[in-house]
Amino acid sequence: MSAEILELAGGKSPDAKLGGDRDGAAKITPRPALLAGYWNLTELRYDYPLVLVADDTGVSPVRSLTAVIDGVLREIAPRGAEGEAARKHVLGIEREIRGLLSADAGGTLSELWGRAKNTLLARAEGAAADVLKENLDRARSALAYDGEMVDCGAETADTLIEHIWKAVQADKIRRLRGKIEILALRLSDILKADAMQSAEARDAESLERSVGTSFRDSFDFEAMSRLLIEAPAGDPLPEERRRRIGDALSVLDSQKFFAPWDGGEDTETYTFLFDSCAAAAEAFQARVAEMVALVKAISIAELEVENGYRESKHDPLFSGFDENALSPEDIASFPSYLVRLSAGRCEPAEKAHLIELLSSDLPVKILARSDDLLEGLSGKRFSFGAGMSDLASLALGQNNAYVLQSTASHLYQLRDRIVDGLTCPGPALFSVFSGSAGSNPDLPPYLVAAAAMEARAFPAFTYDPAAGADWAARFEVTGNPQAEADWPTHRLSYADQDLQTIAQDFAFTFVDFVACDPRYAQCFEPVPADGSDAALVPVSEFIDPEAEQAAEAVPYVMLLEDGGLVRKAVVDGRLIRAARRCRERWRSLQELGGIDNSHARNLLASARQAWEDEKERELAVLKGRPVEEPEAPTAEPAPAEAEAPIEEAPEEVLEEPAGDDPYIETPRCTTCDECTEINNAMFAYDDNRQAYIANPDGGTYREMVEAAESCQVAIIHPGKPRNPNEPGLEELIQRAESFM
Amino acid sequence: MTDPIPQCVFRAEDERYTLADYQGEEPRWCTGCGDNAILAAVQRLCRDEQLPPERTVFVSGIGCSSRFPHYMNGYGFHGIHGRSLPVAEGIKMARPDLHVFVSTGDGDCCSIGTAHWIHAIRYNMDMTVMLHDNRVYGLTKMQVSPTSPQGLQTKTTPRGAYLEPLNPLTVTLGVANASFVAQAVDWIPELMHDIIESAFHHKGFSFIRVLQRCPEFLPDMFEPWVQDPAKTLLLVHEDGLQPSPSLSKTYKNQEAHDPADLTRAREIASVEDPIPVGILYRNDDMPRYEEIRPTDRSYTPDTIKGALEAELDKFTIAPANGGEDEDTAKP
Ligand SMILES: Cc1ncc(C[n+]2csc(CCOP(=O)(O)OP(=O)(O)O)c2C)c(N)n1
Ligand code: SF4
Ligand code: SF4
């Protein structure tokens, strides 16, 4: 349980009274005294219930009721006295909704809101009812979220993770569908454009068909056809390309991984929700060929729409395109599989499938739920951590899958991590303890789950292989209360027989968690009120390997009996052994998560030792002989740099052949066609479509001069005549003067 | 999906585009027409940028200048008079991946198409717009245009044009969201190329007014400016044009103008002589309509049909009694 809850529960000290006389043989229903403040959860504001937000944007698929209501309060209830009435009313309806949900009512937030509002209004009278109604209506319109509500119970993890998975899936499908739709559209455009160029498309009949009925009579389709057939058309698509595009299109159109568009018929598409790893693996295998075909079609389509398909290069590649050609990114772009294992034991065959999936690249998300952590304790072997609850540690061993372990009580806090696990491309395992085995009818599952987390019986951790290369980056134990410590400690205050309030810190250990469960009542022996408790030590101290223990020490735990009395109880030795194992497990998790890591500790110790040795040596040296000053550098001043003559940037010189050859200032040519029209052997365009003199002897001097005269930007320079025998040269030379 | 071919293989084998890859039909403009120079500059740009021809669209209205798309090898839309811009906007909206170029005449843009022009500036969609301004209607054989100088005798104004001409630069600079405004002249190809290049790289509506010679009908219109470089004011700036030293030798009349300075841009734009040439204004941060209102999905025939049917279903007339007694229900 979080510090927040403790705080909320606090303030009403003492929590309980120390038990008085009682015949020791009577059976008790034990509960850990540390949980005393949390019995009535509907009175507390905590993470549950949750609103599974009903929109498919996948942005924030889940909200806690508390957060939603806080949002409303921020909007309509100003701080201070002014907003007091509204705040009271809104918190009142929140409490009412919690009550409805814990009484097993289901529904969406808006439905429950309506019911809660009616109940509250029925209780109010007169003017007070009017104010209440007004406040609740204002609050209702400020509600930013709606969706199904879930309380913490057996099915919570299943419902919550399926909900988030659906949001993530919808987003993924939207992207893949968008891509496929656009590719299909472009491919069919290519085919359509080709068809429209064909002779058939241009004959009178199909032209007539392409015009609606209304204006059919206004056209002469025969004439239109004659004209169009004469118009130039591009080359038809090569047969091979047409076939390739057609094939790709039909694969894109017939895929069954998701409905073709929002709101389309969804009868034929595959399901991705399974209840066993074997079934999911089998389904994946059965669809692999179709997946390969679709990826291939998409790759071909992507090349085709860019006009980038080269048969010599791509044909061999695609002819050998099979399962091995699928990249992890390809697979990840397809919908992911969600496997919800039923609570209880995991059969060996199923476990083998699970391990196989977790060590694969496949986008399979597995939810393993445990309802009972203490099942094994009651058996002869007195082992705990059997069944499904150890799957997460098993998955860690694969080093490949995303792993999240948490109790149901902490799922909301870990919602972003759940999203991470569901969006990551590869496999993921979510191992969740629900707290709902129902062994203690008095305790809500939320409390049992929170107690398991608190007692390190089911700590929270995440392992994200994509987060970095080492454990420090990948593994986290955050989310656990007082994660630095062996056990979280809390203050318990109670009144003793003389009605003196006693406040004492206790660790909440594995033993406290077991004390929640009436099946193990016989493991606790209440200490008579008048008995001597000199030898009693709290469990945490008793099993602390670093603490000194008196030989006659006896471990005890603080229990709460019926009637609200606290009493010390001596703990069964087998439970103590289990608690030790539990602490060992927690310590290894801490180490993995970087808390008090033994390797780091050793390294630090040896580094410190080395440093101290070094210092010692230095000290010895210092004492032995005088300190030598390091030699001061005697660098000579650098010779002043000779002033570099400022060099003028060489100007770009326009080529102006001074001789008698004709030339054009090509960069200034405006492509006006004047000179090329006069003589296109003499004048031609270069790569930039600007004119140059291609052949000075390709025409007469007269043409040269005329071109110079027609060039509007006057960039043609005719030079001297090349053929001295050309008639009329004298006059031409004179005209050419102004272009020299 | 992942590209099965390493990129380098693609590169090595892929041929480079040459100018010829962008040439469409043989131009039928008059010899000496300034449109030729604009065409050459655009073809050079496509070649320099190595734009795949199938990624380019040339849109125009009606006029001599609007024959432009025929002469380019790419997608073309020779539209209707004055409507090149709405067509171009539709294309950009549906296919933001295409490079859209618009050629429009002074009649096409500033007369019949004015409303579209003003709003296209506001929409600021990414396209390169060239206003071929020859100050006359060429295709209809010398009718007056909104940019014809006052007093110009034309077929439709035998006594001379009555009104002061409209200045496309000041108009554009006065519209909200204007993001790129430049002026080029067809007779300085180097600058025309540089301006079209900057316009192409600007994300948004890049408007270039090109003063374009029409030797057929107005052979003397720009002669004084062609002949006397002092009558041209080059706008130079490190964020604008940087003319080559040899060009600067001829065109010595220069002003350092920061294209971010809108007020100065408006002042420069309103001067008719000397003619300013260069980038008057550029703002890369203007919102673009295709980004504000992107289509997040493709509209396949199926989705369109589905959406239409859903829409029409809203008008289905349900029997008043909830369908229990169909026979008596009246539409
Ligand atoms: C709706 C409509 N009105 C009138 C015309 C006739 N028309 C054809 S081109 C043109 C003017 C073209 O002038 P401009 O846009 O300056 O282009 P230029 O030919 O000068 O390049 C006109 C009025 C037409 N084609 N359609
Ligand atoms: S006449 Fe002058 S401007 Fe025209 S194409 Fe020839 S060189 Fe170029
Ligand atoms: S009439 Fe004028 S604008 Fe039209 S093609 Fe000829 S020169 Fe160019």
Side-chain angles (χ1 to χ4, degrees):
Chain A
M1 99 207 69
S2 64
E4 203 181 336
I5 296 180
L6 273 173
E7 209 173 281
L8 280 162
K12 44 185 169 82
S13 67
D15 291 328
K17 268 175 41 199
L18 197 62
D21 286 317
R22 188 171 156 288
D23 70 318
K27 258 203 141 326
I28 55 162
T29 316
R31 312 147 178 178
L34 282 171
L35 285 184
Y38 309 102
W39 254 241
N40 189 358
L41 279 176
T42 55
E43 294 295 324
L44 298 177
R45 299 192 79 212
Y46 62 112
D47 285 350
Y48 280 90
L50 303 178
V51 186
L52 305 181
V53 180
D55 81 28
D56 62 353
T57 56
V59 181
S60 56
V62 54
R63 297 257 144 176
S64 79
L65 179 62
T66 309
V68 173
I69 295 290
D70 285 346
V72 171
L73 288 177
R74 270 195 300 278
E75 191 118 316
I76 72 155
R79 283 180 180 282
E82 204 187 332
E84 194 47 46
R87 190 157 35 244
K88 213 178 102 212
H89 290 156
V90 174
L91 290 175
I93 199 167
E94 181 188 345
R95 209 174 310 119
E96 196 64 33
I97 292 173
R98 278 182 208 283
L100 282 171
L101 269 165
S102 69
D104 263 355
T108 62
L109 174 56
S110 51
E111 285 162 9
L112 290 167
W113 182 284
R115 287 171 55 189
K117 178 182 138 188
N118 291 341
T119 319
L120 291 177
L121 284 178
R123 272 190 232 140
E125 274 171 12
D130 292 343
V131 180
L132 174 65
K133 184 170 179 319
E134 196 212 307
N135 278 334
L136 292 185
D137 286 348
R138 277 202 305 142
R140 175 72 181 81
S141 49
L143 266 188
Y145 301 92
D146 196 13
E148 280 301 316
M149 299 212 55
V150 286
D151 207 349
C152 190
E155 303 292 329
T156 306
D158 293 64
T159 316
L160 179 67
I161 289 180
E162 185 184 343
H163 174 75
I164 301 180
W165 172 73
K166 277 185 175 156
V168 168
Q169 191 89 316
D171 188 51
K172 204 180 216 188
I173 288 177
R174 207 173 8 251
R175 266 178 289 142
L176 185 55
R177 174 168 42 216
K179 180 180 195 168
I180 289 185
E181 262 179 7
I182 287 177
L183 287 174
L185 196 64
R186 302 244 168 113
L187 288 186
S188 48
D189 281 349
I190 297 176
L191 293 183
K192 211 188 286 171
D194 180 53
M196 274 172 2
Q197 296 201 125
S198 68
E200 301 86 71
R202 289 187 276 181
D203 72 14
E205 232 174 88
S206 41
L207 288 174
E208 186 172 347
R209 272 200 307 277
S210 66
V211 173
T213 45
S214 319
F215 298 102
R216 199 162 267 178
D217 298 338
S218 324
F219 294 99
D220 177 348
F221 292 104
E222 290 294 342
M224 202 188 258
S225 173
R226 270 198 309 280
L227 276 174
L228 284 175
I229 284 190
E230 276 167 24
D235 296 329
L237 282 188
E239 192 44 50
E240 195 48 27
R241 185 169 185 216
R242 197 199 327 259
R243 188 197 51 73
R244 198 164 50 234
I245 291 179
D247 288 353
L249 248 182
S250 71
V251 174
L252 296 185
D253 285 343
S254 62
Q255 63 78 26
K256 288 196 274 204
F257 291 91
F258 47 82
W261 55 282
D262 291 318
E265 292 283 310
D266 195 7
T267 45
E268 286 209 76
T269 55
Y270 293 132
T271 176
F272 290 90
L273 192 56
F274 294 89
D275 55 15
S276 80
C277 294
E282 195 182 322
F284 183 87
Q285 212 41 51
R287 298 167 190 175
V288 131
E290 274 176 72
M291 203 157 140
V292 170
L294 187 52
V295 171
K296 180 175 161 185
I298 290 174
S299 307
I300 290 178
E302 282 176 334
L303 286 167
E304 284 294 359
V305 299
E306 297 293 332
N307 197 12
Y309 195 102
R310 302 284 174 271
E311 287 173 4
S312 57
K313 252 186 322 203
H314 296 126
D315 277 355
L317 262 162
F318 285 112
S319 69
F321 200 89
D322 60 12
E323 202 177 330
N324 299 324
L326 291 182
S327 69
E329 294 79 37
D330 290 337
I331 297 174
S333 67
F334 278 77
S336 64
Y337 293 66
L338 180 62
V339 181
R340 293 181 307 176
L341 301 176
S342 45
R345 295 201 89 81
C346 190
E347 296 306 323
E350 177 68 0
K351 217 171 214 171
H353 276 296
L354 181 126
I355 300 288
E356 200 183 312
L357 286 180
L358 290 178
S359 51
S360 73
D361 276 342
L362 309 186
V364 183
K365 316 296 173 182
I366 302 166
L367 169 61
R369 186 184 100 206
S370 330
D371 291 339
D372 188 359
L373 292 181
L374 300 179
E375 226 179 345
L377 270 192
S378 53
K380 272 200 219 98
R381 296 205 313 278
F382 217 75
S383 70
F384 100 104
M388 311 257 273
S389 61
D390 63 339
L391 288 185
S393 333
L394 212 66
L396 278 187
Q398 302 306 310
N399 268 12
N400 172 61
Y402 190 100
V403 184
L404 178 150
Q405 170 168 300
S406 170
T407 59
S409 53
H410 284 57
L411 286 178
Y412 182 65
Q413 290 176 27
L414 292 170
R415 61 194 181 281
D416 290 344
R417 297 323 185 80
I418 298 178
V419 173
D420 289 347
L422 290 172
T423 39
C424 75
L429 176 77
F430 303 93
S431 175
V432 180
F433 170 58
S434 74
S436 70
S439 42
N440 189 341
D442 289 350
L443 281 184
Y446 175 82
L447 266 191
V448 178
M453 174 79 71
E454 196 82 14
R456 320 294 193 207
F458 205 80
F461 62 80
T462 52
Y463 176 79
D464 180 359
D470 51 26
W471 279 81
R474 294 174 168 195
F475 193 79
E476 274 187 25
V477 286
T478 44
N480 294 282
Q482 300 175 34
E484 313 290 318
D486 275 355
W487 314 103
T489 49
H490 298 295
R491 177 143 300 188
L492 179 69
S493 59
Y494 56 95
D496 67 6
Q497 277 132 335
D498 308 325
L499 292 179
Q500 292 298 305
T501 300
I502 298 176
Q504 198 180 342
D505 286 339
F506 282 100
F508 194 93
T509 69
F510 179 74
V511 174
D512 291 272
F513 171 61
V514 178
C516 296
D517 194 325
R519 284 177 295 180
Y520 303 100
Q522 77 282 3
C523 296
F524 301 95
E525 190 56 46
V527 179
D530 49 3
S532 150
D533 61 3
L536 293 183
V537 279
V539 171
S540 57
E541 236 168 80
F542 184 80
I543 62 174
D544 183 352
E546 279 110 49
E548 302 242 329
Q549 224 60 260
E552 68 282 3
V554 176
Y556 79 92
V557 66
M558 291 298 265
L559 292 189
L560 192 68
E561 295 179 15
D562 303 331
L565 300 174
V566 288
R567 182 188 283 276
K568 292 181 180 170
V570 174
V571 182
D572 188 306
R574 288 175 303 173
L575 255 192
I576 292 294
R577 282 196 294 279
R580 279 206 177 98
R581 277 204 305 279
C582 177
R583 199 206 45 213
E584 290 314 310
R585 280 177 172 224
W586 168 242
R587 283 203 169 172
S588 353
L589 284 182
Q590 277 181 316
E591 284 206 38
L592 289 179
I595 298 174
D596 204 13
N597 182 285
S598 49
H599 295 297
R601 216 170 38 225
N602 294 345
L603 260 176
L604 190 68
S606 60
R608 179 173 297 143
Q609 191 59 53
W611 185 80
E612 276 165 7
D613 293 352
E614 176 66 26
K615 285 290 146 200
E616 208 136 303
R617 254 195 312 280
E618 277 177 22
L619 211 65
V621 169
L622 278 178
K623 280 181 186 152
R625 61 181 157 106
V627 192
E628 234 169 69
E629 282 292 333
E631 225 168 85
T634 54
E636 270 181 35
E641 243 171 64
E643 221 149 272
I646 298 158
E647 238 174 86
E648 292 247 336
E651 272 206 29
E652 192 191 315
V653 224
L654 200 70
E655 267 179 68
E656 266 177 48
D660 299 340
D661 291 339
Y663 71 97
I664 295 182
E665 295 168 55
T666 301
R668 291 183 57 203
C669 166
T670 67
T671 325
C672 77
D673 291 352
E674 292 278 7
C675 59
T676 53
E677 284 286 308
I678 290 172
N679 182 333
N680 63 9
M682 199 174 226
F683 304 103
Y685 286 128
D686 67 4
D687 286 349
N688 290 333
R689 257 182 92 69
Q690 290 183 303
Y692 69 103
I693 295 187
N695 180 4
D697 302 316
T700 59
Y701 191 60
R702 177 171 301 280
E703 285 172 322
M704 184 68 84
V705 175
E706 278 173 4
E709 285 169 340
S710 11
C711 176
Q712 296 178 49
V713 282
I715 56 172
I716 302 180
H717 306 280
K720 293 270 148 58
R722 320 260 307 174
N723 173 7
N725 302 326
E726 191 179 319
L729 270 190
E730 209 167 306
E731 180 230 343
L732 289 172
I733 291 172
Q734 215 170 18
R735 276 163 63 186
E737 265 312 300
S738 50
F739 301 106
M740 295 307 187
Chain B
M1 302 278 120
T2 40
D3 201 328
I5 324 290
Q7 279 297 320
C8 52
V9 180
F10 262 128
R11 289 253 174 273
E13 284 195 25
D14 263 0
E15 55 298 317
R16 278 184 68 80
Y17 297 108
T18 64
L19 212 68
D21 291 313
Y22 302 99
Q23 287 169 356
E25 293 169 29
E26 191 60 34
R28 286 203 274 131
W29 289 309
C30 308
T31 316
C33 175
D35 288 338
N36 288 299
I38 304 178
L39 180 69
V42 171
Q43 287 172 343
R44 255 181 84 187
L45 171 90
C46 292
R47 192 263 329 264
D48 294 349
E49 300 290 335
Q50 287 293 298
L51 306 181
E54 69 272 16
R55 291 253 165 229
T56 58
V57 199
F58 299 86
V59 186
S60 67
I62 294 292
C64 294
S65 42
S66 288
R67 293 197 51 77
F68 200 93
H70 295 268
Y71 307 145
M72 290 297 305
N73 180 33
Y75 286 110
F77 200 120
H78 187 176
I80 48 174
H81 200 27
R83 273 72 190 178
S84 57
L85 290 170
V87 170
E89 286 156 359
I91 292 171
K92 191 71 200 179
M93 207 69 195
R95 290 289 303 274
D97 57 315
L98 298 182
H99 304 290
V100 179
F101 295 84
V102 175
S103 281
T104 176
D106 42 303
D108 198 55
C109 177
C110 310
S111 188
I112 192 171
T114 314
H116 301 303
W117 168 36
I118 303 296
H119 290 286
I121 302 167
R122 265 182 76 227
Y123 282 175
N124 189 35
M125 298 180 72
D126 187 19
M127 56 182 74
T128 306
V129 180
M130 292 157 291
L131 168 61
H132 303 225
D133 189 356
N134 56 3
R135 313 192 74 171
V136 71
Y137 290 5
L139 191 75
T140 46
K141 307 206 184 312
M142 203 172 178
Q143 296 174 319
V144 74
S145 131
T147 61
S148 298
Q150 195 172 27
L152 184 75
Q153 285 192 337
T154 68
K155 301 267 169 61
T156 39
T157 52
R159 295 196 190 88
Y162 297 103
L163 301 175
E164 278 276 335
L166 172 154
N167 180 336
L169 294 176
T170 54
V171 171
T172 307
L173 285 167
V175 178
N177 286 345
S179 72
F180 185 102
V181 182
Q183 176 151 274
V185 291
D186 80 47
W187 57 90
I188 312 182
E190 175 191 315
L191 296 185
M192 180 140 71
H193 173 268
D194 292 356
I195 290 172
I196 291 181
E197 189 181 38
S198 309
F200 172 78
H201 286 294
H202 169 70
K203 286 259 169 246
F205 187 83
S206 315
F207 181 83
I208 311 166
R209 180 203 196 191
V210 187
L211 293 174
Q212 171 233 327
R213 289 166 300 162
C214 170
E216 187 67 19
F217 296 116
L218 296 176
D220 300 325
M221 171 62 71
F222 298 109
E223 248 348 71
W225 288 275
V226 176
Q227 298 308 334
D228 182 3
K231 287 168 77 63
T232 300
L233 175 69
L234 291 199
L235 306 176
V236 299
H237 194 264
E238 55 180 3
D239 292 333
L241 289 189
Q242 289 147 16
S244 66
S246 65
L247 194 80
S248 291
K249 241 185 191 171
T250 317
Y251 290 92
K252 295 197 177 74
N253 186 5
Q254 303 191 349
E255 174 178 333
H257 167 63
D258 181 353
D261 185 348
L262 181 59
T263 312
R264 182 64 194 139
R266 286 178 173 149
E267 282 168 11
I268 295 171
S270 54
V271 175
E272 308 258 315
D273 192 15
I275 295 175
V277 170
I279 299 167
L280 284 97
Y281 182 61
R282 182 176 57 218
N283 180 346
D284 293 321
D285 298 326
M286 283 294 173
R288 285 179 277 138
Y289 197 72
E290 73 268 26
E291 286 199 329
I292 302 171
R293 300 286 319 276
T295 42
D296 58 343
R297 52 172 308 140
S298 57
Y299 291 95
T300 62
D302 276 347
T303 50
I304 293 172
K305 210 169 128 204
L308 270 180
E309 271 169 9
E311 210 47 44
L312 293 174
D313 281 349
K314 291 183 188 162
F315 300 97
T316 310
I317 294 163
N321 55 10
E324 273 167 25
D325 191 353
E326 303 231 326
D327 293 341
T328 55
K330 296 265 183 319

